[in-house]
Amino acid sequence: MSPAAVPGTATTAQSDVKKAPDVFKHPLDPLTPDEILEASLAIRHYIAEKTDVKAIKFITLYLLPPPKKVVLAHLGIPTRPGAKPDAPTPITRQAEADFLDVVNGCSYNAILSYRESKWSIETLEKLPQELHSQISVEELIDAEKVVKNSPLVQKLAADIGVAPDQIYCDGWSIGYDERFPQQRRVQQALAYARFSEHDNLYAHPLDFIPVLDANTEEVIHIDFPPTYKATPSGPVLSVPSTAPPPCTDADAALAASGRERMPPPLKNQNFLPDLILEDDKDFKLRDDLKPLHVVQPEGVSFRVNGHELEWQNWKMHIAFTQREGIALSTITYNDHGEIRPIIYRLSLAEMVVPYGAPEYPHPRKFAFDSGEYGMGTMANELSLGCDCLGQIHYLPGAFVGHNGSAMIIKNVICIHEEDAGVLWKHTDYRPNGRSHTVRRRRLVVSMVCTLANYEYIWNYHFYQDGSIEFEIRLTGILNVYIAGKDEPSPYGTIVSPGINAQNHQHLFSVRIDPMIDGLQNSVVESDIIPLPEAPTGSAGNFAGNAFYAQDTVLSTEAGRPHSYEKERRWNIVNSARQHYASGNNV
């Protein structure tokens, strides 16, 4: 097995099995590095012996979870209020893989099972030519090499003063572009210049966007976005339409953009302190902060057994996944001795970042960061004192490399406790009255992921009052494109001379698979409604202040609009159990 290129966010690549797989501790435990190696080897043997495929490139290889009821029975979690758990049944560990035929570019999906101490192929499916698995982190790294080594790109860069060794790019999914055959594994490369080893390349955007085939490793097209010109009636685009021009050679593509070439901005915009100091001799870091120590001399209050965690009546399974990053499963709460199911699975299903500049090719900047890249494969190895503060427990993660090796991120999930302000407080304001305050502790399960220019910090918070919070933080650097001298920016903001940060959004889709006191749950839509047919001054609502909550059980799956005027909320309830005092469904 040839060595794998380890991305800067990961720790190492494992290419040899170190320990034969044991019987799993938990049915939702992620594949170990050894399991990834053995499963990928089983696929390679099957392909060599039973197909005409000559060489393959792995994209994904991950646990295929058992059915929900089978998992709950195995763990002894009841599926109905007051009922006993179902009888456990045998569980066969399974895995799912996506890989490519590197000769003809076809995509395949395989299902594997682990029986009699070995992985075996259960199904192998050749996918339709328009279906592609996610872009691997190795393909993103290789995209930069392809672009840097392209004679065409080198010439276009030289024309604006950029040397071959100064060419860099971020590989991006292209989504859908009808100009390119669907069977080709196409990426776009957002190109930049880097004038020293660790220079902030986003300070030097280039004025063209290469399109490449990740399988054949060749640049197949160059796009030159048009520009805007200021006029008395507002910004006017240099072309008559925002639609894409036909695929032609680079000279014709430039002519179709209706503008001249633009050299990149040269001013440094560095973020590394040593490089900032090189640019600004008067720069210094803040020195007026006293140390802040977070210590737990008696240790942490949570217990971890493999991937299972218990803390303050909470119990859950925590796993690394290639697509979702963190997956929290089988979340229960010990309510005075009664184990109450809360959520079967909680994770980030998808996130999308659509950019708002309409002129081609910018509409292709429409990143589905989970599905197209994999949040887990983009996760960082975390470091104590920077990413995580305090007494930390880390969990590792592993995903498959192109050659079937296991890419390992040693400290990918961080678990710790935090003081979180006041949990409860009340003061009797009367003379000689007493007060009582309770501090709030929370458990944090977190991960940090780098998606090209952006970093996402995912924090799952569990509280002592039984509440769960999902916090998403965004940091890193804006994605930018070059702006001409005095060019207006109707769909963005000029953040520095010659640098345009285009309008965009970050939209998140969270998977919540609830099991509130069992599996028979319903979603209730709650609106705040003024008292109907009782206006202000009427006998039933003289002061006009009456309102109530109108609850509607949603009977079908559908998107629902938020209503600010009705203070709309959604609750997940179990009609088989009621609150002891209100009688409402829990």
Side-chain angles (χ1 to χ4, degrees):
M1 184 182 293
S2 58
V6 181
T9 52
T11 308
T12 187
Q14 181 180 325
S15 57
D16 298 310
V17 176
K18 296 182 178 180
K19 180 182 178 183
D22 297 323
V23 176
F24 57 82
K25 291 184 178 180
H26 191 289
L28 298 179
D29 282 351
L31 296 184
T32 66
D34 290 325
E35 286 181 305
I36 290 174
L37 288 164
E38 292 203 334
S40 67
L41 181 61
I43 292 174
R44 292 202 302 272
H45 283 170
Y46 185 93
I47 293 298
E49 296 168 3
K50 298 187 177 183
T51 74
D52 296 328
V53 177
K54 302 303 180 184
I56 64 174
K57 177 169 70 176
F58 286 97
I59 302 297
T60 65
L61 177 55
Y62 48 84
L63 176 75
L64 185 61
K68 184 191 303 185
K69 288 188 176 181
V70 173
V71 172
L72 295 177
H74 178 88
L75 300 176
I77 298 174
T79 60
R80 299 174 303 281
K84 293 182 179 180
D86 295 342
T89 56
I91 295 177
T92 299
R93 195 152 167 85
Q94 291 191 304
E96 184 170 1
D98 293 317
F99 59 90
L100 305 176
D101 180 336
V102 299
V103 176
N104 62 29
C106 295
S107 297
Y108 290 84
N109 176 267
I111 305 295
L112 303 90
S113 295
Y114 187 72
R115 294 188 178 94
E116 299 178 354
S117 301
K118 67 176 183 179
W119 288 98
S120 301
I121 307 298
E122 297 286 342
T123 64
L124 178 65
E125 179 185 4
K126 183 179 179 179
L127 302 178
Q129 65 178 12
E130 68 271 15
L131 297 184
H132 295 269
S133 53
Q134 69 181 47
I135 298 174
S136 72
V137 65
E138 289 173 270
E139 286 179 311
L140 296 176
I141 294 171
D142 290 342
E144 190 166 74
K145 297 176 183 177
V146 171
V147 170
K148 288 172 74 78
N149 292 332
S150 166
L152 173 59
V153 171
Q154 290 178 2
K155 178 185 182 302
L156 294 174
D159 290 343
I160 50 175
V162 177
D165 64 328
Q166 296 171 335
I167 301 169
Y168 286 79
C169 72
D170 288 340
W172 273 56
S173 164
I174 207 167
Y176 176 74
D177 189 325
E178 62 183 9
R179 299 177 298 171
F180 305 108
Q182 286 298 293
Q183 68 268 25
R184 300 199 77 162
R185 193 164 172 83
V186 179
Q187 286 186 55
Q188 59 182 329
L190 307 187
Y192 306 90
R194 175 172 263 172
F195 297 117
S196 63
E197 182 180 7
H198 299 293
D199 179 28
N200 176 16
L201 54 90
Y202 300 108
H204 317 295
L206 302 186
D207 71 336
F208 61 96
I209 299 175
V211 176
L212 64 136
D213 186 317
N215 283 336
T216 61
E217 297 187 342
E218 60 179 329
V219 173
I220 61 176
H221 181 66
I222 300 292
D223 278 314
F224 287 92
T227 58
Y228 286 92
K229 298 178 181 179
T231 72
S233 57
V236 174
L237 197 61
S238 59
V239 294
S241 171
T242 59
C247 278
T248 53
D249 60 35
D251 291 338
L254 176 60
S257 71
R259 50 92 168 177
E260 301 295 327
R261 296 297 308 279
M262 296 182 288
L266 299 179
K267 182 181 178 181
N268 291 337
Q269 307 279 354
N270 286 308
F271 56 87
L272 295 172
D274 56 317
L275 297 186
I276 298 175
L277 186 60
E278 291 180 8
D279 299 328
D280 180 2
K281 301 305 180 184
D282 296 325
F283 169 78
K284 73 171 186 175
L285 296 173
R286 293 183 182 182
D287 56 7
D288 55 348
L289 280 176
K290 304 297 183 183
L292 176 64
H293 299 288
V294 179
V295 296
Q296 292 179 278
E298 298 179 29
V300 297
S301 302
F302 57 83
R303 298 193 305 272
V304 178
N305 179 18
H307 288 270
E308 274 195 311
L309 177 143
E310 294 183 71
W311 177 83
Q312 291 290 289
N313 299 321
W314 290 104
K315 187 174 183 179
M316 68 196 75
H317 183 270
I318 305 172
F320 169 91
T321 77
Q322 182 157 349
R323 174 182 175 132
E324 300 156 296
I326 297 174
L328 303 178
S329 303
T330 58
I331 301 172
T332 62
Y333 191 86
N334 188 331
D335 188 2
H336 301 284
E338 179 188 0
I339 304 303
R340 302 182 65 178
I342 305 296
I343 295 176
Y344 182 74
R345 187 179 177 97
L346 175 62
S347 62
L348 177 78
E350 187 56 274
M351 65 163 292
V352 60
V353 187
Y355 282 72
E359 67 275 15
Y360 224 78
H362 297 313
R364 291 195 313 228
K365 293 167 69 173
F366 208 102
F368 287 86
D369 284 332
S370 245
E372 289 182 325
Y373 307 101
M375 204 56 66
T377 61
M378 302 299 166
N380 288 203
E381 179 180 0
L382 305 176
S383 58
L384 184 62
C386 295
D387 301 298
C388 307
L389 191 63
Q391 192 155 339
I392 308 299
H393 182 88
Y394 293 106
L395 290 177
F399 60 93
V400 72
H402 281 177
N403 61 359
S405 61
M407 297 286 189
I408 297 173
I409 311 176
K410 183 179 179 183
N411 297 331
V412 69
I413 298 176
C414 166
I415 304 168
H416 68 283
E417 294 174 291
E418 292 178 346
D419 180 88
V422 173
L423 175 64
W424 185 88
K425 179 180 178 70
H426 182 65
T427 299
D428 184 351
Y429 67 89
R430 297 166 181 82
N432 300 318
R434 297 177 61 186
S435 68
H436 187 59
T437 304
V438 180
R439 297 296 299 174
R440 180 170 67 167
R441 184 81 62 89
R442 72 182 175 196
L443 178 80
V444 184
V445 182
S446 63
M447 175 181 283
V448 179
C449 302
T450 297
L451 279 300
N453 53 294
Y454 275 131
E455 267 73 21
Y456 295 91
I457 303 172
W458 315 99
N459 293 326
Y460 290 91
H461 295 154
F462 290 81
Y463 292 95
Q464 294 165 300
D465 61 0
S467 59
I468 303 172
E469 178 184 55
F470 184 26
E471 178 189 58
I472 304 170
R473 298 182 183 180
L474 175 64
T475 182
I477 301 171
L478 290 167
N479 177 273
V480 296
Y481 181 67
I482 189 172
K485 180 176 173 56
D486 299 324
E487 180 182 355
S489 178
Y491 302 101
T493 301
I494 302 298
V495 294
S496 185
I499 301 178
N500 180 17
Q502 293 164 340
N503 298 340
H504 61 285
Q505 298 173 295
H506 300 257
L507 307 176
F508 305 91
S509 176
V510 178
R511 175 183 176 182
I512 304 174
D513 189 352
M515 54 174 185
I516 307 296
D517 280 324
L519 300 182
Q520 302 304 313
N521 290 182
S522 301
V523 177
V524 175
E525 185 172 275
S526 183
D527 291 338
I528 300 302
I529 304 295
L531 197 63
E533 301 177 0
T536 301
S538 65
N541 187 20
F542 184 80
N545 65 309
F547 64 88
Y548 69 101
Q550 181 183 74
D551 292 339
T552 304
V553 177
L554 302 183
S555 58
T556 58
E557 294 183 5
R560 297 293 300 160
H562 184 57
S563 175
Y564 289 99
E565 65 273 13
K566 295 181 179 180
E567 193 65 22
R568 179 165 290 169
R569 294 288 186 271
W570 292 272
N571 300 309
I572 301 171
V573 303
N574 189 330
S575 61
R577 183 169 185 168
Q578 285 71 44
H579 186 267
Y580 74 96
S582 69
N584 293 333
N585 296 333
V586 298

